[in-house]
Amino acid sequence: MKEHVYDCTYLSEEDFETEQVLFETWVPQARYAWDAGIAIGRYLAELKAGRLVGVHCPSCGRILVPPRMFCQDCFVSTDGFVPLQDTGTVITFSICHIRWDMVRLEHPLIPAVIAIDGASPGMGILHLLGEVDPKAVRIGMRVQAVWKPPEEREGAITDIRYFKPLE
Amino acid sequence: MLREVAIVGAGWSGFRSISPDLSYKEMMYEAAVRAYEDAGIDPRRDVDSFVTVAEDFMEGTSIFDEYTPDQLGGALRPNHTITGDGIHGLAAAVMQILTGQFDLVVVEAHSKASNVLTFPHILAYAMDPVYNRPLAFHPYAIAGMEMRRYLAETATPLEACARVVVKNRANALFNPLAAHGANISVEAVLGSDMVAEPLTRLQCADHADGAIVLVVADGATARALTDRPIWIRGIGWANDTHTLESRPWGEASYAYLAAQMAYRTAGIKSPRAEIDFAEIDDTFAYKELQHLEALGFCRPGEAGLWTLEGGTEINGEFPVNPSGGSLGMGHLLDGSGLARVLEVIFQLRGEAGRHQVKDAEVGMAFAWRGVPTTSGAAVILSN
């Protein structure tokens, strides 16, 4: 305590345990429904149908995925949806041992960015890898989407369960 | 100011109660395309910096700043993201240009208020968590308390507040961009559901969705781009104390100080004589009156009578909110200030159509960030 400069009584562990330290708590209720709009709306509808789509930029000619109504490089409106394969190549990945809420995972999640076949180079979607030994995952690995059965799809990114190695 | 600064392009998307057909990115893109076409520029080549204004809790995404560049043409470019009203964003753009390092700066603000499903909770979250929030009243009661004090100090009749609503929503009927145009009576306003006495439901602006993008330039660049720049003569902003326990409840000190700062820069001594019309915050009807007085367009206690006499109508002596204001156009969260600026631009260009003010040469836009804030920003524009 000597390094502190304030002339006061410092809190002890006991102060916390006996609730001598006061808190004000509040649980926020923050709920949102984001308008999907044209690009995301079509993307989600196609996912529900078991398909991946991208969009075409008339200026640079690239096929962009996930879809957007503008090319961020050219600043022009994209001019149409393009069907894509549900296969691709791992651009990068991590083996993640903790869930988003800091719970340690027995079986790690493998988030990966996957360049989708049919889209322009470097255009990938972020998803998970599955049915694979984490030690076997490599940059450049060829993978394919594993879809939920049609009756379970709801127009969400999770309509794809994960991508698994192609073989 | 050290350099001349002008607005050379303006674009918008909206304004509507709901907008499920467009994502916020598509809405911003639509506004940006209009603004760049208006200015005759290519954002990927010509723009030096992008300023965006957003509040994470309203967007539902933390560090929302990350999501603004692409749809404005700002990816891989200098981006400056702030929380505040759109006019605070405009001030940031002006300051960047005044440094001499930037000649062309884009400013954006938007609202997707319809996407916030628990709006009252988000608003309550703005209250001080220890001193105020546990009391559990709706934050609109702050407006109710302020309105009561303002009316008492200035002897302003309730009817004057209602006339603000009648005027602004009628003005909005002439404005194709407005979401809430209506022909209503003073009796209907005063007789609508009581929210927080003396504030009734129809005296509170309903929200709308929409986006606004402005292109701002230094004098030389502005003259090269257009023969009708809208000049920024002065800009100012101010905050009062945040404590609800020690505010001057009757008067809007933040508005007074923001305006004085803008007047000093613009060299304006007599606002009412030197400014032709104003677009000023009317989130709550009494706010238009309180702000009119704080901004120096009339003396305390005069705004209500002036309004009842028709002096602030489109064809009156000093038109106030010819666009319909937030009451008529819809409140755009932190996009509200740029909606006010957008209307001033239309008026100064003579493009306001059926709600055009005669001989509009100098206009003011003033924004307030709503309850529970004392955050205001003012800008004076001329053609």
Side-chain angles (χ1 to χ4, degrees):
Chain A
M1 284 297 175
K2 278 184 184 138
E3 68 271 24
H4 293 291
V5 295
Y6 298 110
D7 180 20
C8 61
T9 306
Y10 290 93
L11 292 170
S12 67
E13 189 62 29
E14 188 188 349
D15 292 330
F16 286 91
E17 286 165 1
T18 58
E19 297 189 354
Q20 294 299 301
V21 180
L22 301 180
F23 296 95
E24 192 69 50
T25 59
W26 187 275
V27 180
Q29 288 190 43
R31 292 195 295 114
Y32 307 86
W34 295 278
D35 292 324
I38 304 165
I40 304 170
R42 175 70 180 267
Y43 188 57
L44 298 179
E46 294 285 348
L47 283 170
K48 193 171 183 179
R51 294 187 294 258
L52 280 175
V53 291
V55 288
H56 175 255
C57 171
S59 175
C60 64
R62 291 187 305 164
I63 308 293
L64 315 173
V65 66
R68 63 213 73 175
M69 295 315 290
F70 43 83
C71 173
Q72 71 269 25
D73 284 358
C74 308
F75 201 74
V76 300
S77 300
T78 51
D79 64 355
F81 291 89
V82 180
L84 304 175
Q85 310 298 311
D86 69 350
T87 54
T89 306
V90 173
I91 295 176
T92 187
F93 67 98
S94 181
I95 298 168
C96 187
H97 297 270
I98 43 177
R99 210 169 56 186
W100 69 273
D101 54 358
M102 290 298 289
V103 172
R104 188 154 283 277
L105 296 165
E106 190 179 344
H107 303 290
L109 290 167
I110 313 175
V113 178
I114 298 147
I116 297 297
D117 292 342
S120 292
M123 279 287 149
I125 67 174
L126 174 63
H127 218 288
L128 300 171
L129 301 182
E131 292 184 44
V132 62
D133 177 357
K135 292 189 181 64
V137 181
R138 294 286 180 270
I139 287 175
M141 179 181 259
R142 296 283 298 153
V143 294
Q144 179 165 28
V146 175
W147 295 85
K148 283 180 179 172
E151 63 276 13
E152 287 181 29
R153 289 184 210 140
E154 52 190 7
I157 187 71
T158 46
D159 288 351
I160 295 174
R161 289 193 202 279
Y162 48 78
F163 283 72
K164 69 172 184 182
L166 252 181
E167 229 69 338
Chain B
M1 291 200 282
L2 297 168
R3 299 175 92 187
E4 292 178 298
V5 183
I7 296 171
V8 295
W12 69 94
S13 175
F15 307 100
R16 292 171 288 158
S17 301
I18 58 171
S19 54
D21 52 327
L22 295 177
S23 69
Y24 74 83
K25 288 179 186 168
E26 290 159 359
M27 211 169 62
M28 287 168 65
Y29 177 70
E30 184 174 82
V33 168
R34 276 205 175 98
Y36 302 153
E37 186 64 24
D38 190 34
I41 59 160
D42 172 357
R44 303 300 287 158
R45 186 191 62 205
D46 304 325
V47 175
D48 298 319
S49 174
F50 297 82
V51 179
T52 59
V53 168
E55 163 64 52
D56 293 359
F57 271 100
M58 293 305 180
E59 304 296 337
T61 306
S62 310
I63 324 177
F64 180 77
D65 327 18
E66 280 304 301
Y67 294 90
T68 58
D70 288 16
Q71 55 272 26
L72 298 175
L76 298 171
R77 307 294 293 282
N79 281 258
H80 180 68
T81 58
I82 65 171
T83 48
D85 180 82
I87 295 180
H88 290 105
L90 185 57
V94 169
M95 287 188 280
Q96 289 186 16
I97 290 170
L98 292 183
T99 66
Q101 299 297 307
F102 305 88
D103 293 336
L104 201 60
V105 180
V106 163
V107 186
E108 184 273 347
H110 66 271
S111 159
K112 267 285 191 181
S114 70
N115 288 189
V116 187
L117 300 183
T118 52
F119 192 85
H121 290 267
I122 302 301
L123 196 59
Y125 218 54
M127 302 280 283
D128 182 286
V130 176
Y131 289 132
N132 306 139
R133 208 187 295 160
L135 302 175
F137 59 80
H138 193 288
Y140 277 17
I142 293 168
M145 289 191 285
E146 189 182 59
M147 179 180 173
R148 189 183 297 283
R149 185 77 201 178
Y150 166 73
L151 295 184
E153 285 184 11
T154 58
T156 299
L158 272 177
E159 193 192 355
C161 300
R163 276 290 292 275
V164 170
V165 182
V166 172
K167 167 179 73 73
N168 290 359
R169 295 195 66 175
N171 287 354
L173 285 173
F174 296 112
N175 181 355
L177 299 188
H180 300 304
N183 203 339
I184 50 174
S185 67
V186 164
E187 293 71 31
V189 173
L190 295 179
S192 60
D193 291 344
M194 195 56 80
V195 173
E197 292 184 26
L199 190 66
T200 59
R201 178 78 182 77
L202 288 178
Q203 294 178 62
C204 310
D206 278 330
H207 291 114
D209 295 349
I212 301 112
V213 172
L214 302 178
V215 182
V216 189
D218 72 287
T221 306
R223 287 191 179 87
L225 283 169
T226 176
D227 54 7
R228 50 169 199 178
I230 300 301
W231 299 102
I232 296 177
R233 299 295 183 187
I235 192 161
W237 59 97
N239 286 59
D240 197 349
T241 173
H242 67 86
T243 60
L244 296 170
E245 292 79 0
S246 49
R247 286 184 183 180
W249 283 87
E251 60 191 55
S253 307
Y254 58 88
Y256 171 80
L257 293 168
Q260 291 302 315
M261 181 177 168
Y263 294 153
R264 268 198 309 278
T265 315
I268 286 177
K269 301 280 192 296
S270 173
R272 185 152 158 186
E274 297 176 61
I275 296 174
D276 302 315
F277 68 101
E279 281 280 318
I280 64 180
D281 176 82
D282 61 337
T283 301
F284 305 103
Y286 76 93
K287 273 293 186 188
E288 177 171 310
L289 305 176
Q290 190 193 33
H291 286 152
L292 265 176
E293 294 167 5
L295 299 172
F297 293 118
C298 59
R299 283 195 294 245
E302 288 181 352
L305 300 176
W306 203 16
T307 301
L308 289 170
E309 289 164 0
T312 58
E313 290 179 10
I314 289 179
N315 296 317
E317 175 205 345
F318 187 81
V320 177
N321 288 323
S323 69
S326 285
L327 286 163
M329 288 186 76
H331 193 273
L332 296 168
L333 305 177
D334 285 327
S336 297
L338 290 194
R340 304 281 72 73
V341 173
L342 183 70
E343 172 71 7
V344 174
I345 294 168
F346 289 152
Q347 292 287 353
L348 295 174
R349 286 178 174 177
E351 292 177 351
R354 291 179 69 198
H355 56 292
Q356 178 67 48
V357 168
K358 282 195 198 76
D359 305 322
E361 292 175 357
V362 183
M364 173 192 258
F366 175 76
W368 168 58
R369 287 198 80 202
V371 289
T373 82
T374 54
S375 182
V379 60
I380 298 156
L381 302 163
S382 73
N383 56 16

